[in-house]
Amino acid sequence: MMDPDTGFFASKSPAVRDEMESLDLSDATAPSSLPSFLEPPSYADVVLKSTFEPQNAVSTPGSGSYPPRAAASDYLRIVVSDPETVQEAANSLVPGGNTYVTYPITTWVRAAGHGGRSEFCVRRRFRDVVTLAARLAEAYRGYFIPQRPDKSVVDGQVMQKHEFAEQRRWELEKYLRRLAEHPVIGRSDELRVFLQAQGKLPLPAATDVASRMLDGAVRLPKQLFGDAAAGRVAPEDVVQPAKEGRDLLRIFKELKQAVANDWGGVKPLVVEEDREFLERKEKMQVLEQQLCTASQQAEALVKAQQDIGETMGEMGLAFIKLTKFETEEAIFSSQKTLSADAKCVATAAVKASRLYRELNAQTVKHLDTLHEYLGVILAVQIAFSDRTSALLTAQTLMTDLATLHAKVEKLEVASSKIFGGDRSGLRKVEELNEAIRVTEDAKSCALGEYERIKENNRNELERLNREKHDDFLSMLKGFLINQVEYSEKVAIAWAAVVEETCGYARESN
Amino acid sequence: MISPETSPPRSSSQSPRSPPAAPFLSISVTDPVKLGNGVQAYISYRVITRTNLPEFQGPEKIVIRRYSDFVWLHDRLAEKYKGIFIPPLPEKSAVEKFRFSTEFIEMRRQALDIFINRIASHPELKQSEDLRTFLQEDEETMERARSQETGIFKKPADLIQIFKDVQTKVSDVVLGKEKPVEETDPEYEKLKHYIFGLEDHLAETQKQAFRLVKRHRELGQSLSDFGKAMKLLGACEGNSLGKVFSELGAKSELLSIKLQKEAHNLLMNFEEPLKDYVRAVQSIKVTFADRANAFRQHCELAETTKLKEINLDKLNLMRSDKVREAEMEYRELKAESEQATRRFETIVRLMNEEIVRFQEQKTADMGLAFHQFAKGQAKLANDIADAWRSVLPKIEACSVSSPHG
């Protein structure tokens, strides 16, 4: 697991690192402060400076270079502090009680429009984060919603408890900041409530239709047909995506529809747009693949850079020990020369090792963008599937309508053949017409939802392309500038040794 | 010492009135070729000798030699020139698979070349008849000489085992574990302590240098993979940004090649000299053992001679008829004792000269190795900076937040 602060894998030899740190290199110069092009742009105002401290600047892609994104947010700054364990003393049947972890979250907002207050402090547990994510997913279908941290430890390695807590805290902070930066979600009530409401989080844990009724699977037809006893269901509720295990019947129907679509049974709504959409989907998949590979190779590169720096340092140390030994045991003057030469090499090696280490910390920050965009693509895929399922819902309803109309026709034909009218038949037709009206409403709703989601997709895609372009550019620029800067410094360190030892080259020639 | 050539050299390119050429003896070990099949396969080298010395058969001679021939020469010199630090040989590779790799062959060839030239430039060793045999005799004669070896050094494989035994024996003997009879010269003690400590420190630096070579190769590999991934990513992006990715990928692959080159340079010009230094120190330890043995012999014989002398005096007083025999024995023993003493003193004298030469030579060798190392690293770092810097203009060409599909 990468240490987020230094970007390093657990070092094999921390003792060596300490040894190197304590070395007194008489001509060692601390790395100079960053050149001007590595600091935040000069137009960064106070707002930016307070939002993005050096170690927090990595939390969002490109955040260090593009203040407009952060500056547009209502939230100046969000900080998640170290987690605390809380004991739930009341109503605990088990002695010792129920313990869980809470994270203190402090938010600073722009003063205006938040009841005059500018700082909020709340306590949230991870469960609350899951709830927030679920509410956002429902309310903002079609948007590229930043993904929340995972529930369980995904890492293959065994993590220490405090490491796990730190990683979660850091991921949580990143997540909230990304939400705050999103042009739409950053203004949402859900986020505001999460960050500002004191006490327990007042967001419902689940809102799907079925949980408000009795077992939804059986009730669904009545929902659609407006069974008075069961209570009317607003058409908008119908357009919420079917939840597994609850809206079984609906899922089954939509599945039938999907199959019918695929087999060309019912024509999909608008063919041209679908094709364009499918193209975009495919492009997204290709991008994901390449990003995955790139992210892996970036990690391997960082590891290789770290290794070479470490070995260089260890070799430098070995030479220093040799130098000390030679100096102590010197019998001949040639030994003193050799000793001095060895020390020269050792100094440069240790210096180079330190430079490699610093370079690597920077490299990690830049190349992390690749990894972050994998998360973004996940959000995109979810948004795309929102669209697909909305379309499916609309199509299902249209098929239902067609079926209902067909039934009405059949009944009317049959009724007209009966002398003296068919009271029971007429009643049935009335019922069916009522159902048709309800379904029509639902269909309009569903189509409206579909259009809304399509629009969201479109806008978000534009935003994504813009931001991705900028973030990638920033990443590449940062990476390159870092490499150039540190390589030049390493070259200078070795050039000094070349100068010192040039006499030997002349001799051998 | 070789006296300067007084008669004009046979080379026709020199006019009769030009001054006599300085004596030179220059040898190259070149053209490794794999011969034989399967388990019997081995590498043979061309050994080219160029000289104007009268002891040699001509201005140029080319022979074919294999590793075990070099071992033969080394062992003969070690036997005959006790007290001198015989230049070390490269090790016989333990790993079968590695035996014929290009890198191993090149490393060995370089080491053998250095070995033979060091012998050729050593004031004592260059006069050795065994050297001339090695440089001039045909292959059959060479093979006969090798198999005639009656000493315990028969096969290269044995050498390793023998050497290992010697190592332990050396430690025991030199550190005075086996025999109580040892020198008490404080300066010599200091030297011994120094050499043993030096070997440890050098071995550590050599180990790290070898790991550094590996790290260069690994970094090169990861840069190559990274470059490919960047290129593919660039294909996903469009236009100017895609070009940046592409260029970055290309430079990454370029640097990968440079890193592999530097890894090889590091191996041949930095790690090998360090390894050579370690071998040289181990060779010195062998000389310590020789000196200790010579000292022991000198002491023992001196002791025995004294006893014999006392006995002889006793017999003289007693006017025994064994006197003549005893006197003969005494004289023989005394001659042997004096010989042993001379041998010991020769070793001491030679060692004192050798150690100075050794230190000076080593300082020069390591100085050069350090220089090559630093040069390589500086060049690599500059190449890296240049390569990455060249991509920056393409980034400037990309406008910020331009709409891309």
Side-chain angles (χ1 to χ4, degrees), chain B residues 64-107:
Chain B
I64 305 292
R65 294 288 178 256
R66 53 186 292 187
Y67 178 76
S68 29
D69 297 329
F70 286 84
V71 174
W72 171 87
L73 177 61
H74 176 276
D75 296 341
R76 299 282 294 194
L77 293 174
E79 255 182 72
K80 293 195 178 142
Y81 291 89
K82 295 219 189 295
I84 292 185
F85 303 158
I86 312 295
L89 276 173
E91 298 86 1
K92 186 161 173 77
S93 168
V95 180
E96 191 57 39
K97 203 171 57 159
F98 189 49
R99 209 148 62 94
F100 295 111
S101 79
T102 319
E103 198 171 77
F104 175 73
I105 292 173
E106 175 53 23
M107 271 162 58

Side-chain angles (χ1 to χ4, degrees), chain A residues 75-105:
Chain A
Y75 298 99
L76 288 177
R77 189 170 153 195
I78 303 173
V79 170
V80 177
S81 313
D82 288 329
E84 296 154 7
T85 316
V86 168
Q87 192 112 353
E88 198 167 51
N91 32 289
S92 57
L93 300 168
V94 181
N98 196 18
T99 60
Y100 55 88
V101 177
T102 61
Y103 297 85
I105 303 173

Side-chain angles (χ1 to χ4, degrees), chain B residues 209-391:
Chain B
F210 186 70
R211 280 174 72 202
L212 191 63
V213 171
K214 203 161 70 132
R215 298 292 183 227
H216 276 70
R217 294 210 171 111
E218 286 164 4
L219 183 60
Q221 183 60 50
S222 69
L223 270 172
S224 171
D225 295 336
F226 179 71
K228 291 196 178 77
M230 286 291 112
K231 277 182 168 168
L232 285 173
L233 199 52
C236 283
E237 302 294 315
N239 306 333
S240 42
L241 183 60
K243 285 208 186 88
V244 179
F245 272 106
S246 209
E247 183 69 9
L248 191 118
K251 293 297 175 185
S252 200
E253 288 179 326
L254 180 91
L255 286 178
S256 167
I257 295 171
K258 286 201 196 272
L259 267 157
Q260 299 296 353
K261 266 207 194 123
E262 176 60 17
H264 182 76
N265 176 46
L266 259 181
L267 185 68
M268 303 304 287
N269 297 318
F270 182 63
E271 192 268 345
E272 269 304 290
L274 273 170
K275 195 131 101 241
D276 181 69
Y277 201 161
V278 176
R279 290 185 202 125
V281 170
Q282 286 165 346
S283 167
I284 294 176
K285 283 161 77 176
V286 174
T287 309
F288 283 166
D290 290 343
R291 173 163 164 163
N293 283 332
F295 180 73
R296 193 168 33 86
Q297 271 189 348
H298 144 84
C299 285
E300 277 174 12
L301 280 170
E303 191 73 26
T304 321
T305 308
K306 203 159 211 147
L307 289 174
K308 263 285 197 287
E309 190 178 1
I310 292 171
N311 192 37
L312 184 62
D313 287 342
K314 239 196 297 186
L315 290 176
N316 259 331
L317 281 170
M318 286 170 17
R319 293 186 190 283
S320 159
D321 44 333
K322 290 202 182 124
V323 168
R324 181 138 351 130
E325 206 186 310
E327 211 173 292
M328 249 170 56
E329 278 177 18
Y330 169 71
R331 264 192 254 280
E332 270 173 30
L333 205 56
K334 185 151 184 199
E336 258 184 69
S337 172
E338 280 164 4
Q339 218 177 50
T341 306
R342 266 198 304 277
R343 269 204 300 270
F344 170 69
E345 284 168 355
T346 306
I347 290 182
V348 172
R349 176 178 55 83
L350 286 172
M351 265 187 84
N352 287 337
E353 290 166 12
E354 285 286 281
I355 196 75
V356 178
R357 273 186 84 249
F358 168 74
Q359 292 288 24
E360 284 171 6
Q361 186 63 50
K362 272 308 150 196
T363 302
D365 288 345
M366 287 317 298
L368 180 62
F370 291 154
H371 183 76
Q372 302 283 55
F373 173 55
K375 233 169 90 173
Q377 289 295 304
K379 178 166 193 307
L380 180 68
N382 276 321
D383 285 347
I384 290 175
D386 289 341
W388 293 133
R389 205 185 294 116
S390 71
V391 185

Side-chain angles (χ1 to χ4, degrees), chain A residues 290 297 304 311 314 325-326 329 334-335 338 345 468-470 480 483 487-488 491 494 498 501-502 505, chain B residues 193-194 198 211 215 222 225 236-237 277 359 363 370-371 373 375 377 381-382 384 388-389 399 401 404:
Chain A
Q290 307 302 6
Q297 298 307 344
T311 302
E314 282 170 2
F325 174 75
E326 285 272 9
E329 309 267 338
S334 56
Q335 276 174 285
L338 178 55
V345 171
K468 178 162 64 82
H469 179 270
D470 293 346
L480 287 169
Q483 290 280 339
S487 298
E488 282 174 346
W494 289 115
V498 173
T501 58
C502 62
Chain B
H193 181 262
Y194 167 70
L198 183 63
R211 280 174 72 202
R215 298 292 183 227
S222 69
D225 295 336
C236 283
E237 302 294 315
Y277 201 161
Q359 292 288 24
T363 302
F370 291 154
H371 183 76
F373 173 55
K375 233 169 90 173
Q377 289 295 304
N382 276 321
I384 290 175
W388 293 133
R389 205 185 294 116
S399 51
S401 285
H404 283 283

Side-chain angles (χ1 to χ4, degrees), chain A residues 41-88:
Chain A
S42 55
Y43 57 86
D45 52 11
V46 171
V47 171
L48 175 61
K49 280 260 191 303
S50 64
T51 314
F52 297 106
E53 293 154 23
Q55 75 264 25
N56 295 331
V58 303
S59 60
T60 45
S63 54
S65 309
Y66 293 96
R69 230 181 283 171
S73 169
D74 278 348
Y75 298 99
L76 288 177
R77 189 170 153 195
I78 303 173
V79 170
V80 177
S81 313
D82 288 329
E84 296 154 7
T85 316
V86 168
Q87 192 112 353
E88 198 167 51

Side-chain angles (χ1 to χ4, degrees), chain A residues 1 82-83 159-169:
Chain A
M1 156 205 130
D82 288 329
M159 264 201 253
Q160 303 285 359
K161 224 168 96 176
H162 65 271
E163 278 179 7
F164 173 69
E166 170 54 29
Q167 179 161 23
R168 175 157 278 187
R169 181 206 69 78

Side-chain angles (χ1 to χ4, degrees), chain A residues 9 49-50 64 97 104 117 194 217 222 239 311 360 426 428 468 498:
Chain A
F9 304 89
K49 280 260 191 303
S50 64
R117 283 186 62 186
F194 182 90
K222 289 214 175 130
V239 306
T311 302
N360 230 15
L426 278 172
K428 273 214 191 94
K468 178 162 64 82
V498 173

Side-chain angles (χ1 to χ4, degrees), chain A residues 385-445:
Chain A
S385 76
D386 284 344
R387 171 181 165 146
T388 307
S389 65
L391 178 60
L392 195 56
T393 305
Q395 285 175 345
T396 311
L397 287 169
M398 288 197 299
T399 312
D400 285 350
L401 263 179
T403 314
L404 287 170
H405 277 296
K407 277 196 185 147
V408 168
E409 238 183 77
K410 241 171 60 176
L411 274 175
E412 282 180 343
V413 166
S415 279
S416 66
K417 295 202 178 126
I418 298 175
F419 276 126
D422 173 10
R423 209 158 316 134
S424 75
L426 278 172
R427 223 181 327 138
K428 273 214 191 94
V429 169
E430 244 178 70
E431 280 175 13
L432 283 172
N433 279 329
E434 181 59 29
I436 285 174
R437 269 196 292 279
V438 171
T439 311
E440 272 288 348
D441 282 345
K443 183 197 89 170
S444 308
C445 248

